Amino acid sequence: MPDLADKSIVITGGSSGIGAATAIECARAGMDCVLVARRRDRLAEVAAEVARLGRRAELVACDIADPRSSEAILDAAERAFGGFHAVFANAGYGLERDVLATPIDEMRRMFEVNFFSGADLLQQAARRLIAAERPGHLLMCSSCVAKFTLPRHGAYSATKAAQAMVARAMRSELAHHGIEVSTVHPVTTTTEFFEVAAGEDRRHLRNGIPPHVPALFVQKPDRIGKAVVRCLRRPHPEVWTSHVVRLVAGAFTAFPSLQEWVMRGEARKYRARDARTSASKPGPDAKNAGPAGESSGG
Ligand SMILES: NC(=O)c1ccc[n+]([C@@H]2O[C@H](COP(=O)([O-])OP(=O)(O)OC[C@H]3O[C@@H](n4cnc5c(N)ncnc54)[C@H](OP(=O)(O)O)[C@@H]3O)[C@@H](O)[C@H]2O)c1
C-alpha cells in the first residue's frame, strides 16, 4: 500500500464541499495540497485547516474554465512542492432544469467547467508525469448520475457521464506509464451543490438538500474525502460510497424499462410541485417557476 506522507495533491473545487473535505483528509494522511477555486477567502479557510494538521497548502484562485488555468495550476504545484503525486479534478456544478429549458449556451458553459476543464487538467498532468517519468494518480469527480439520469438533470448527468468515459479510457491508456486514473461517484452529499444548482429560488431545499431524498442516500463530504484517500492508497477504477446506489445504477443499465418507470414517476412529482409552487407564488415571479425544482441527483 503506497505511503502518502509528503506527497502532494492538486484539488480543484477546494473551497467547499467534497474538495475541501478531501483536502483535509489528504492532509490527515500526510499530504500537501494545491487548492483551486474562484473564492480565495474560502480557499484560505481550508488552507488554515490543512496547516493545523501540519501540512502545507498552496492556493490558486482562478476560474477553471479559463483555458490558461491548467498550466497555471500545475506550475504552482511544481513551484510549491516540486511536482504532484495526484490530481483530483473535482470542481463542478449542477443545474436543475428540463433539457428544453436549458439554453445551449448554458449547457456549453457547464460542459466547459465540469468536463473540458477537468479533461484538460488531467491531460496536462499526465503529460508532465510521463515527461518526468514519474508514477501518479489522476482522479475525476463524476457522480452516480454518470450511470443513469433523472428528470431535470439531463445536461448535468451528460457532463458527468462524459467525464467518466474519458477517465475510464485514460486509465487503460496510461497504465503502462504507472499512472492510475480513477473516477469518483458520489451520491447526494451535503455541500453547497444543491443551493448552486437551484439558483435563486431555494425554498424547496431543507438544510441545503432536496427534502425527498431518503436519508439512506444522503452523505457528508468527509465520507467522500476518506474514500478518495483509500483510493489513493489502494488505487481502483471507481470510488463509490453507496453500494445501494451502485446496484441501482447496474439494474437501470440492465433493465432500461425500470429506469423509465422511475423517471416518469419523478417527472410527475416535479410537475405536481411546480403546480403547487406557482399557485403559492405571488404575481409575476410565477412565470419563472417553470422548469426548475428539486434535485435528487448530484
Ligand atoms: N453534492 C452532491 O450531491 C454531489 C453528488 C455527486 C457529484 N458531485 C460532484 O462533486 C463535485 C464537487 O461538488 P460539491 O458537492 O462539493 O459542491 P460545492 O460545495 O458547490 O463545491 C463545488 C466546488 O467547485 C468550485 N467551482 C465551481 N465552479 C468553478 C469554476 N468555474 N472555477 C473554479 N472552481 C469552481 C467551487 O468553488 P468556487 O465557487 O469558490 O469557485 C467549489 O469549491 C462536483 O463536480 C459535483 O458535480 C456532487
Side-chain angles (χ1 to χ4, degrees):
M1 196 180 293
D3 185 10
L4 301 176
D6 299 325
K7 291 187 170 161
S8 68
I9 180 166
V10 172
I11 302 175
T12 67
S15 64
S16 78
I18 291 169
T22 302
I24 288 158
E25 295 304 329
C26 286
R28 284 206 175 102
M31 299 183 87
D32 297 318
C33 309
V34 177
L35 301 176
V36 183
R38 290 163 300 182
R39 291 171 295 175
R40 182 175 280 281
D41 55 333
R42 295 286 299 271
L43 287 175
E45 286 170 24
V46 179
E49 190 58 34
V50 167
R52 264 193 293 279
L53 293 164
R55 301 310 311 188
R56 289 183 298 153
E58 179 74 11
L59 308 186
V60 181
C62 67
D63 185 331
I64 53 158
D66 180 333
R68 293 161 303 181
S69 66
S70 299
E71 197 180 350
I73 292 165
L74 298 174
D75 284 351
E78 280 175 9
R79 271 195 312 274
F81 306 122
F84 51 86
H85 167 67
V87 174
F88 184 26
N90 160 76
Y93 70 100
L95 198 57
E96 297 168 19
R97 294 268 182 83
D98 282 2
V99 173
L100 281 189
T102 311
I104 289 299
D105 281 350
E106 281 199 55
M107 265 195 220
R108 277 208 183 92
R109 166 75 187 166
M110 191 160 43
F111 264 91
E112 277 303 331
V113 174
N114 292 5
F115 175 68
F116 287 111
S117 306
D120 182 55
L121 183 63
L122 295 200
Q123 274 189 342
Q124 295 204 31
R127 288 192 190 113
R128 291 189 190 212
L129 288 170
I130 292 166
E133 297 184 8
R134 282 193 197 167
H137 197 157
L138 310 176
L139 300 102
M140 183 83 100
C141 192
S142 178
S143 169
C144 58
V145 299
K147 307 280 184 180
F148 56 89
T149 191
L150 292 165
R152 302 213 167 150
H153 290 79
Y156 171 70
S157 47
T159 69
K160 296 283 128 182
Q163 288 181 311
M165 292 301 155
V166 159
R168 173 52 62 89
M170 287 176 83
R171 181 172 174 80
S172 49
E173 292 160 1
L174 295 174
H176 68 290
H177 290 291
I179 299 172
E180 297 283 347
V181 183
S182 307
T183 48
V184 182
H185 299 266
V187 297
T188 302
T189 311
T190 52
T191 66
E192 295 171 15
F193 178 89
F194 293 99
E195 292 182 355
V196 173
E200 285 178 9
D201 188 356
R202 300 170 177 179
R203 287 177 299 172
H204 59 283
L205 300 178
R206 302 277 176 279
N207 300 321
I209 57 161
H212 67 280
V213 180
L216 174 69
F217 300 141
V218 179
Q219 300 184 344
K220 295 211 169 91
D222 64 320
R223 186 156 171 182
I224 322 297
K226 288 185 172 78
V228 168
V229 169
R230 280 197 297 278
C231 184
L232 288 167
R233 288 212 162 100
R234 195 187 289 272
H236 41 275
E238 296 188 0
V239 175
W240 285 82
T241 51
S242 168
H243 296 304
V244 176
V245 176
R246 193 174 196 176
L247 286 172
V248 167
F252 280 173
T253 304
F255 306 105
S257 313
L258 174 65
Q259 179 174 4
E260 174 67 14
W261 178 73
V262 172
M263 284 181 65
R264 285 189 182 215
E266 290 292 304
R268 269 195 300 278
K269 282 191 220 158
Y270 283 122
R271 285 197 297 274
R273 200 169 299 123
D274 287 348
R276 284 199 301 277
T277 311
S278 31
S280 68
K281 261 190 179 175
D285 273 3
K287 72 175 189 304
N288 298 325
E294 285 183 9
S295 156
S296 52

